[in-house]
Amino acid sequence: STGATNASIMVSPMLTMTYTVTVTNANNCSASLTRTITVNPLPTAGITVAETSGTTPNDGIICTGATATLTGTGGTSYAWSTGATNAAIMVTSAGTYTVTVTNANGCTASATTTITVNPLPTPGITVAETSGNANNDGIICNGATATLTGTGGTSYVWSTGVSTAAIMVTPVTATTYTVTVTNANGCTASATTTITVNPLPTAGIT
C-alpha cells in the first residue's frame, strides 16, 4: 500500500499505521494481507539537579567538595553514563551526565545535564600589632589591640559575629579567631589564627 513492489519494506511510522500487501503467484492469482504497526510514544526524559552549593541552589554549579544529586525523570527505569541504574545519583565531579530513560513500553529517550565545579577560596588572616617583642607576630601584651584582616575572598564572617574584612580585638587571654571567607562563586573556606596575650609586669617603686 506504500507503492513499493519488493517482498520486504522498511517502515518508520510516526503514528500507528496499517499496511497492506497484495501477493501475486505464478498463475497471476492475487490475495491481500493487512498488518498494523503500533507506535508507542517515547518517554519525556529529564534530569532534576539538587544542590545547595555556590551562589544559587540547584543550578548545577557547585564548589569543590560539594555534592549534587541528579534524578532522572519520565520513565520506569534509568541508565546513567556513569554506569549507575538508580533513578538518582550523587556526583562531586565536573562533567556532562546523561541518563537513558525507559518507559513501560520499552521505549527509550535520553537527557543530559552539566555539573560545573568551582574552586574554594584560599583564605588567610594577616595580623597587625605593635605590642610585645616583635610586631605582627600575634603575641601582644595585656590591654593591647591587634587588627586581624581576612584575605582571599569577597566577603568575610568572623567567629566574633563581625562580617567586615578587618576586625580589631583586645583579648585578655589567648584567643583563637576564625574567619569564613566567601569568593565570587559563593564558595567558602576558613582560616584561623591565635592571639597570645602576655601579662603586664607588676611595676613597683621602692
Side-chain angles (χ1 to χ4, degrees):
S1 54
T2 63
T5 58
N6 306 315
S8 298
I9 62 172
M10 296 179 67
V11 295
S12 300
M14 301 295 293
L15 302 171
T16 298
M17 296 285 292
T18 298
Y19 297 90
T20 300
V21 62
T22 300
V23 179
T24 302
N25 64 15
N27 296 316
N28 204 32
C29 298
S30 299
S32 295
L33 183 68
T34 296
R35 175 62 62 89
T36 297
I37 300 298
T38 300
V39 179
N40 288 320
L42 300 180
T44 303
I47 298 174
T48 61
V49 179
E51 46 83 12
T52 57
S53 180
T55 57
T56 306
N58 308 326
D59 63 353
I61 303 173
I62 63 176
C63 302
T64 297
T67 299
T69 300
L70 310 182
T71 303
T73 60
T76 57
S77 65
Y78 304 87
W80 291 90
S81 52
T82 62
T85 56
N86 305 315
I89 62 173
M90 298 176 70
V91 300
T92 58
S93 301
T96 298
Y97 296 88
T98 300
V99 64
T100 300
V101 177
T102 303
N103 64 15
N105 296 314
C107 299
T108 61
S110 296
T112 297
T113 194
T114 298
I115 298 297
T116 301
V117 179
N118 285 322
L120 302 180
T122 303
I125 299 174
T126 61
V127 179
E129 47 80 14
T130 57
S131 179
N133 290 325
N135 294 340
N136 309 326
D137 63 354
I139 303 173
I140 62 174
C141 299
N142 196 357
T145 296
T147 299
L148 310 181
T149 303
T151 61
T154 56
S155 65
Y156 305 86
V157 177
W158 291 87
S159 52
T160 61
V162 178
S163 56
T164 56
I167 62 173
M168 297 177 68
V169 297
T170 310
V172 295
T173 60
T175 303
T176 298
Y177 298 90
T178 300
V179 63
T180 300
V181 177
T182 303
N183 63 15
N185 295 316
C187 300
T188 61
S190 297
T192 297
T193 193
T194 298
I195 300 299
T196 301
V197 181
N198 286 325
L200 301 180
T202 303
I205 301 174
T206 59

